Amino acid sequence: MAVPSSSFSLSMNTLSNSSSIPASNPSLDPSKASVLRTQNVLGSKGNSEGIEQTQLRLCGANLKTNSDLKLQASREPAGVTKELKSDKSERMAGVEHVDLFNEMKQRFLSFKKHKYMKDLEHYEKLAKGQAPKFMVIACADSRVCPSSILGFQPGEAFVVRNVANMVPPHENGPSETNAALEFAVNSLKVENILVIGHSCCGGIRALMSMHDDVEPSSLIGSWVSVGMDARVKTKAAAHLLNFDQQCKHCEKESVNCSLVNLLSYPWVEEKVRNGELDIHGGYYDFVDCSFEKWTLYKENNMKDKSGKVAVKDRALWF
């Protein structure tokens, strides 16, 4: 896995589910009635063997009728049973839905009681405005919450999250990410921008799975192609590694790509050059729970003639 060194190459040109059965008479046994009629025909001393055969035939008919009834009974309620099961599933889903929001309600009430009310003055101040020191650009992945990982409290960080924590270059035009960037830098006057990549990133896997000569057809493909330069560098530097290892390499390289893209915004580059703004890269590995951090140089000669930029203050927290 590539780790940003004190100096590494970053190009400024980076671009990323029946028949009706009559009711029976309980007082009349059909088999007995048939026997009586047979005896009347044959006489009381008639052929008993014939009577037995007749009884057997009638019993057989009764058995067949009962069997048909049982079969019909087993078939007819199927739709009803299915409908009942469906209703039960819907009820269970509804209960689960209510349980999720009941849990959410309890979390909110706990927050209000143990944090909001205990620090009421701070939250009243926040209600009047915000002055965060950080802008954080992180992935939308549910496992990567900057506030949980780095302990940001309300009012400390202006957070933007998108697929694969990417920053498009200035020339790509408007997006919600660079609109938030403009607001954070020019209006909120943040002093730090932190771009956080992470392990097992689905957006980076999508980027690394793309073909060089095929135009992306999906929305995700179109978006992650912002990091195409990171993909190219990864293929060159890590071509001997397997696909998973290449993805891990690219997860960091894409952060570097986003840092370079930040400098394509004139007002960002100016503030970095003047020492008013620091730009940082971060990488959160939730497999072993470690965090890597590095910072771009903010000197006037930060960019040399080859378009390379350097980093400093690299640290690994584990």
Side-chain angles (χ1 to χ4, degrees), residues 2-305:
V3 177
S5 60
S6 59
S7 179
F8 59 92
S9 175
L10 293 176
S11 170
M12 290 300 297
N13 296 320
T14 304
L15 298 180
S16 158
N17 166 14
S18 85
S19 300
S20 175
I21 305 296
S24 61
N25 185 343
S27 64
L28 178 62
D29 187 329
S31 63
K32 291 180 180 180
S34 298
V35 171
L36 289 174
R37 286 196 297 273
T38 304
Q39 287 178 340
N40 288 335
V41 173
L42 297 177
S44 59
K45 297 181 181 180
N47 188 339
S48 61
E49 183 179 348
I51 295 174
E52 290 176 358
Q53 290 176 352
T54 303
Q55 288 177 324
L56 286 173
R57 287 197 298 271
L58 289 171
C59 289
N62 285 338
L63 287 172
K64 184 178 185 303
T65 301
N66 290 337
S67 176
D68 289 344
L69 285 173
K70 290 179 181 179
L71 181 60
Q72 185 178 357
S74 67
R75 288 176 178 172
E76 286 183 345
V80 177
T81 305
K82 185 176 181 180
E83 187 175 326
L84 290 173
K85 288 181 178 179
S86 177
D87 290 343
K88 182 178 180 181
S89 298
E90 290 178 3
R91 287 197 301 271
M92 292 299 292
V95 170
E96 183 179 356
H97 176 77
V98 172
D99 287 345
L100 286 173
F101 277 90
N102 281 339
E103 182 179 351
M104 191 181 298
K105 173 186 175 182
Q106 296 307 315
R107 292 179 185 177
F108 170 74
L109 294 177
S110 177
F111 159 76
K112 182 176 181 179
K113 178 180 179 180
H114 299 291
K115 293 186 177 180
Y116 187 93
M117 298 307 296
K118 288 187 176 181
D119 200 3
L120 187 58
E121 184 178 347
H122 173 65
Y123 284 98
E124 288 178 340
K125 182 179 179 180
L126 287 179
K128 298 175 182 178
Q130 59 173 323
K133 302 293 185 184
F134 275 88
M135 178 185 185
V136 176
I137 301 173
C139 187
D141 193 301
S142 63
R143 300 165 291 184
V144 186
C145 177
S147 295
S148 295
I149 299 166
L150 301 175
F152 288 116
Q153 298 302 306
E156 290 184 348
F158 185 77
V159 181
V160 175
R161 300 179 69 175
N162 62 43
V163 174
N165 45 267
M166 294 195 171
V167 178
H170 183 260
E171 57 267 24
N172 274 27
S175 72
E176 63 179 26
T177 297
N178 54 30
L181 176 65
E182 182 180 58
F183 177 68
V185 173
N186 294 335
S187 298
L188 297 179
K189 311 293 183 184
V190 296
E191 299 174 5
N192 301 274
I193 299 175
L194 173 61
V195 180
I196 304 175
H198 69 93
S199 56
C200 308
C201 182
I204 296 300
R205 292 186 74 87
L207 173 64
M208 292 298 295
S209 300
M210 294 170 63
H211 297 287
D212 295 324
D213 55 348
V214 177
E215 195 72 21
S217 58
S218 68
L219 294 175
I220 292 177
S222 297
W223 171 253
V224 299
S225 63
V226 167
M228 189 57 73
D229 190 59
R231 179 181 183 277
V232 170
K233 290 183 177 180
T234 295
K235 289 291 187 180
H239 64 279
L240 296 178
L241 302 179
N242 62 40
F243 183 73
D244 288 340
Q245 292 171 324
Q246 288 182 13
C247 287
K248 194 173 185 67
H249 185 284
C250 192
E251 286 162 357
K252 289 186 179 182
E253 196 60 61
S254 70
V255 174
N256 297 332
C257 175
S258 288
L259 296 180
V260 169
N261 288 345
L262 282 172
L263 295 174
S264 69
Y265 295 85
W267 26 274
V268 171
E269 196 273 337
E270 179 183 4
K271 289 180 180 295
V272 171
R273 188 175 64 250
N274 294 337
E276 302 172 33
L277 179 66
D278 288 331
I279 295 179
H280 315 272
Y283 181 80
Y284 170 51
D285 190 334
F286 53 67
V287 176
D288 60 12
C289 196
S290 63
F291 192 91
E292 189 173 350
K293 170 261 178 189
W294 59 96
T295 303
L296 262 70
Y297 280 116
K298 61 179 181 180
E299 299 171 357
N300 290 338
N301 60 348
M302 180 182 61
K303 294 179 293 181
D304 61 25
K305 294 180 181 180

